Amino acid sequence: MFKIIILNGPNLNLIGEREKNQNGNFTLKDMANSCNNYAIKNNIALSLFQSNIEGELVNKIQNSRTNQDGLIINAGGYTH
């Protein structure tokens, strides 16, 4: 089974709660449910993690080197 971790960066915990006119009502929990459903259908072991703290994200990336096959990062507030 392929193992993937999805990291969500700063402010993504507020998606769906703020700026609804731009982002709609789709929340981080909705995104997690959608990703988990996809993972189940495709035999993927999925881990999800969100943090507003850069060091926690860096630690998660480094710790994932030996126990994950892939990593996806939605950098959130780090993109601007």
Side-chain angles (χ1 to χ4, degrees):
M1 180 178 289
F2 199 67
K3 294 186 279 185
I4 296 177
I5 185 168
I6 298 177
L7 303 179
N8 290 289
N11 299 323
L12 291 173
N13 57 309
L14 299 177
I15 290 290
E17 296 179 22
R18 62 184 192 123
E19 300 173 344
K20 289 184 180 187
N21 60 331
Q22 292 178 17
N23 300 319
N25 293 322
F26 196 76
T27 66
L28 187 60
K29 184 176 180 178
D30 295 330
M31 186 276 308
N33 289 337
S34 179
C35 289
N36 280 320
N37 289 337
Y38 180 88
I40 290 166
K41 290 177 186 174
N42 291 281
N43 199 32
I44 297 169
L46 186 64
S47 300
L48 296 144
F49 181 76
Q50 188 279 326
S51 180
N52 294 317
I53 301 169
E54 182 179 13
E56 289 181 358
L57 292 167
V58 171
N59 286 340
K60 198 57 107 164
I61 291 168
Q62 290 182 355
N63 292 335
S64 295
R65 291 178 305 129
T66 58
N67 63 9
Q68 299 291 328
D69 298 308
L71 183 141
I72 299 169
I73 186 164
N74 184 357
Y78 291 128
T79 61
H80 55 280

